[in-house]
Amino acid sequence: MSGTSSSRRLSEAQETAVAELIRVSPVADELGRRFAKAGHELHLVGGSVRDALLGRLGNDLDFATDAHPDQTLAVLKGWAEATWETGRDFGTIGAQRDGLRLEITTFRADVYDGVSRNPLVQYGSSLAEDLRRRDFTVNAMAVSLPDHVFTDAHGGLDDLAEQVLRTPGTPEQSFGDDPLRMLRAARFAAQLRFAVDPGVRAAMVAMAADLDRITAERIRDEFVKLICGADPVYGLRLLVDTGLADRFIPEISGLKLEIDEHAQHKDVYEHTLIVVANAVRLEGPDGPDFVLRFAALMHDIGKPATKAVTSDGRVSFHHHEVVGARMTKQRMKVMRFPKDVIAEVVELVALHLRFYGYGRGEWTDSAVRRYVTDAGPLLSRLHKLTRSDVTTRNRRKAAQLASDYDALEERIARIEAEEDLARVRPDLDGNAIMELLGVPPGPVVGRAWRHLKELRLDHGPLDRDDAEAELLRWARAEGIVTPE
């Protein structure tokens, strides 16, 4: 970037920041005056300053102060609409005022021993010390309150204009202190679409193994933020290229299958990244959708384990969706994801191939009902994942697949309108089953219920007489009731 262009970008960023800060200044300045009156400093810091300069300041504001938590609470008393102390062990007190969420943290001078997984929290004595310990220069700027003095000792404003991530000190020292910062570099690259400084990138490669010191939960949380960033593909490439992915999700690097001249097939790794990008585009205004994005990332991880070359030289990956679902579940458990999130992602991976074959005209209404019932509340995501999975460069084939899926969705809509597929239930409930068969609650009722549900899926709704006749026919065949 030329000097003139860079200067223009800096000027635009500063003008944007002023506009953003004016919006929150009534609260921020009032809080700054309260801290000053109590004899303390207060500074807007970190991501809040960065986001203000980028024109994207939200309603969550981060502050730094020389006041300790008890002193901060005393300043907030009678002014904040609510306060919370969940971050007190790290020197952070939370507060709410006029729709803004404020986090006020005592100056930090954390000490790392190079072995423990978390920093030993120590309070610092100055703003300069606090900013020096931060991860990247674009997060090491501050605006003092209420006088609005701007502090940028590490060139963060220049780096913001250049859209590059650098560390305030050497990257080796920064990453040695907290290896999670390497993963955070990839996360910010994905969120902000910023380049990573070559020196930072080299340190990520050299120190990737240090990530093993970090807890699974901290890695998971950073990774979720990366996946939900504006450009997750860029962040994922950075993780793979630096070797960081191998430390906690090696299945992604494992998608780089060797392609030999006798068994050509599409590059699974590149295909996967395209599927992720497609899924992001299909999210709609409610995104980002972590479950959809992560399912897109993991949908083909079963391919390396199932790769086979047939006698005619073609490559196959039979049942890779089944193997991939199992691998996805194992990896997500290791990363300590909640059970409900694991279940949703695993189900999408398991179902992502179900659609193929529909265009050959093999699906009955029963198959459509089962597709909808098996997907359940994930149906909308399954639609998006299946469409995202079409990455062929053959326009004719891509158009045919899109047309086939359009037809399937139209067919689902027609059957749903007729049968309420969202709540497929047997035509007789448990009480009716017990009354008709003369049996008490127990396993027989469950078996009968499942049989009636299978009939419902195969044939659609039955009227009461037909449902009762079918149940009695089943019960006689099972020896539950005596044949007439």
Side-chain angles (χ1 to χ4, degrees), residues 18 32 35 74 158 160 173 182 194 220 224 273 335 360-361 430 448 466 484:
V18 170
F35 271 83
D158 288 330
L160 198 69
Q173 178 64 49
M182 294 185 287
F194 279 17
R220 176 202 63 208
V224 168
L273 296 183
M335 294 179 72
R360 295 195 296 266
D466 287 342
E484 295 179 356

Side-chain angles (χ1 to χ4, degrees), residues 383-459:
H383 287 332
K384 294 172 183 175
L385 178 59
T386 303
R387 290 185 181 276
S388 298
D389 197 22
V390 178
T391 64
T392 177
R393 295 179 181 178
N394 185 319
R395 293 184 180 180
R396 186 174 181 179
K397 183 178 179 181
Q400 184 61 56
L401 287 169
S403 176
D404 289 345
Y405 209 84
D406 288 342
L408 174 58
E409 290 200 63
E410 290 170 3
R411 192 170 174 188
I412 289 172
R414 173 180 62 77
I415 298 175
E416 279 185 327
E418 297 170 356
E419 303 179 15
D420 190 16
L421 287 180
R423 291 184 293 276
V424 171
R425 294 288 187 273
D427 296 288
L428 301 175
D429 62 17
N431 290 328
I433 291 170
M434 288 187 289
E435 181 179 351
L436 186 63
L437 300 184
V439 297
V444 169
V445 179
R447 288 167 53 203
W449 191 92
R450 287 190 292 274
H451 172 71
L452 289 174
K453 183 175 180 180
E454 290 297 312
L455 285 175
R456 175 77 164 74
L457 289 169
D458 285 339
H459 304 293

Side-chain angles (χ1 to χ4, degrees), residues 93 141 171 377 440 474 477:
I93 299 297
M141 298 177 283
W474 172 83

Side-chain angles (χ1 to χ4, degrees), residues 236-249:
L236 289 166
R237 286 191 186 280
L238 190 58
L239 290 180
V240 171
D241 292 347
T242 57
L244 286 168
D246 292 336
R247 313 313 305 185
F248 70 96
I249 188 164

Side-chain angles (χ1 to χ4, degrees), residues 112-117 133-137 165-186 188 196-214 218 238 242 244:
Y112 300 81
D113 61 13
V115 176
S116 64
R117 294 174 172 178
R133 74 169 184 83
R134 293 179 178 265
D135 49 12
F136 302 104
T137 60
L165 293 172
R166 294 189 179 90
T167 53
T170 68
E172 290 79 9
Q173 178 64 49
S174 181
F175 298 158
D177 284 346
D178 186 359
L180 189 67
R181 289 172 174 171
M182 294 185 287
L183 186 53
R184 200 171 291 147
F188 281 126
V196 175
D197 175 73
V200 171
R201 188 185 186 100
M204 292 167 69
V205 173
M207 303 177 67
D210 286 13
L211 194 63
D212 297 348
R213 290 198 275 126
I214 305 301
R218 292 182 72 204
L238 190 58
T242 57
L244 286 168

